[in-house]
Amino acid sequence: MKTVIIRVDPDDVRPGDLAPAAEIIRGGGLVAFPTETVYGLGADALNAGAVMKIFAAKGRPPDNPLIAHIGAVGEAERLAREIPEKAQKLMETFWGGPLTLILKKRPEVPGAVTAGLDTVAVRMPAHSAANALIKAAGTPIAAPSANLSGRPSPTLAEHVAADLFGRVDMIIDGGNAVIGLESTVVDMTGEIPAILRPGAVSADHLRAVVGDVLAGKTEKGAPKSPGMKHAHYKPAAQVFIYENAADISNLDDFERPILIYMGQKPQTNGFFKTYNAGETKEDYAARLFYFLRRADSDGADAVFAFLPDEKGIGAALRDRISRAAGGKSV
Ligand code: TXA
Ligand code: MG
């Protein structure tokens, strides 16, 4: 398949910029586009055939449902059978932004989007190019992260091209995805909202608006978001998590180990390279997936990744880093 790459300046999106991309979406094709969290791989959410192409392009397990992206709060009603009061409050507070809500679906939403569930994931992004695309297409856009299944999510158009060039019709290059971790997914179908996947909108942010919120593992540790059980974020190198660099004792097992640190650089020798994740957890979030991919291009055989505390976006960082490490710590 021929893949066209176009560039859009997120600070200056002009009417017409997204017209060719919208045309592809309306015609049942695939367009990768930037959002404030990570790049998404989009298709018309109301066209089952188009949505199935997403699974083929990514090699995504068919039991893992997709998020439907909309351009205005009111559009959620096109997809969801009912909007509970707490969901309405969350939409008004955090949309457009990195928050996905699980709602009871309308019959018009194809089973291909929801993997046969009777719920649908809905999100309104904040990114100017994403919003312009959804508006120009005139239809909700189903989109997972625009990586091959199992790989780190893309925060640059180059990452998308590395995984999906030749497998999609168009890639919209809108620069760096500023948050760098995927949206917070919250199940709104029960009495108490439950976080299924942590993200930049934290449990405390949600509680300030709707009171009680369930965070962390659901009963018996069973992930309620189907995607949480699949291997994800895996670079070729083995990933280990550490909280204190002094605890790293297995460096000699590796030829090209890489250290990811935050803040002050630890006093540690023997690393092939060190990556500075910045001063804050927000900096770290923006760079994590980029680092996991760069470790591969640098030929690393091990990555030692700092595990920050769980306040704020820390919970999302801990989730993604732990999953990249498959639970391995030093
Ligand atoms: O920030 C994001 O959310 C990015 C951008 C592109 O919007 N998208 C993204 O999509 O991360 P994806 O497909 O990589 O992750 C969607 C997550 C998966 O864990 C999936 O299992 C869960 O949302 N999900 C989708 N529909 C669901 C549903 N009906 N019930 C429970 N979980 C659902
Ligand atoms: Mg993903």
Side-chain angles (χ1 to χ4, degrees), residues 58 60 144-145 147 153 182 197 232-233:
K58 284 191 52 135
R60 183 177 175 101
S145 50
N147 50 279
S153 297
E182 307 87 340
R197 179 178 73 182
H232 210 334
Y233 315 115

Side-chain angles (χ1 to χ4, degrees), residues 95-113:
W95 283 2
L99 176 68
T100 296
L101 300 178
I102 307 295
L103 302 163
K104 289 183 183 142
K105 85 174 193 76
R106 281 192 187 277
E108 301 87 285
V109 181
V113 174

Side-chain angles (χ1 to χ4, degrees), residues 2 27 36 42 62 95 104 140 218 290 302 324 326:
K2 187 164 162 283
E36 71 281 14
W95 283 2
K104 289 183 183 142
T218 49
Y290 166 75

Side-chain angles (χ1 to χ4, degrees), residues 56-275:
K58 284 191 52 135
R60 183 177 175 101
D63 64 347
N64 194 2
L66 307 178
I67 298 171
H69 295 70
I70 57 176
V73 171
E75 282 169 31
E77 285 160 28
R78 275 174 80 184
L79 303 167
R81 210 160 62 218
E82 59 190 77
I83 314 275
E85 201 184 313
K86 288 177 186 172
Q88 187 69 35
K89 280 191 184 162
L90 292 176
M91 291 172 184
E92 280 160 14
T93 310
F94 297 109
W95 283 2
L99 176 68
T100 296
L101 300 178
I102 307 295
L103 302 163
K104 289 183 183 142
K105 85 174 193 76
R106 281 192 187 277
E108 301 87 285
V109 181
V113 174
T114 63
L117 299 175
D118 64 358
T119 53
V120 60
V122 186
R123 152 161 139 82
M124 176 181 163
H127 197 286
S128 54
N131 288 334
L133 174 63
I134 298 163
K135 290 204 174 98
T139 181
I141 295 183
S145 50
N147 50 279
L148 284 174
S149 201
R151 302 261 304 139
S153 297
T155 54
L156 290 169
E158 288 83 348
H159 300 161
V160 180
D163 281 15
L164 297 176
F165 195 86
R167 293 170 163 264
V168 301
D169 297 291
M170 181 178 275
I171 298 171
I172 302 170
D173 182 350
N176 192 43
V178 291
I179 293 175
L181 300 179
E182 307 87 340
S183 62
T184 309
V185 178
V186 184
D187 184 352
M188 300 303 299
T189 62
E191 191 47 47
I192 302 173
I195 297 179
L196 305 185
R197 179 178 73 182
V201 175
S202 69
D204 286 341
H205 289 140
L206 296 167
R207 287 185 183 120
V209 179
V210 293
D212 239 7
V213 168
L214 302 173
K217 291 259 167 20
T218 49
E219 333 74 88
K220 297 180 191 134
K224 270 185 76 190
S225 231
M228 298 299 270
K229 70 173 184 281
H230 295 291
H232 210 334
Y233 315 115
K234 288 265 199 268
Q238 288 193 59
V239 179
F240 298 90
I241 52 183
Y242 74 89
E243 287 180 89
N244 193 333
D247 297 338
I248 298 174
S249 61
N250 55 340
L251 261 192
D252 292 345
D253 299 348
F254 301 100
E255 301 206 334
R256 292 161 80 88
I258 280 176
L259 180 76
I260 301 177
Y261 68 94
M262 202 182 97
Q264 181 82 16
K265 187 172 177 181
Q267 295 287 342
T268 338
N269 299 316
F271 286 99
F272 156 62
K273 281 193 174 174
T274 55
Y275 297 163

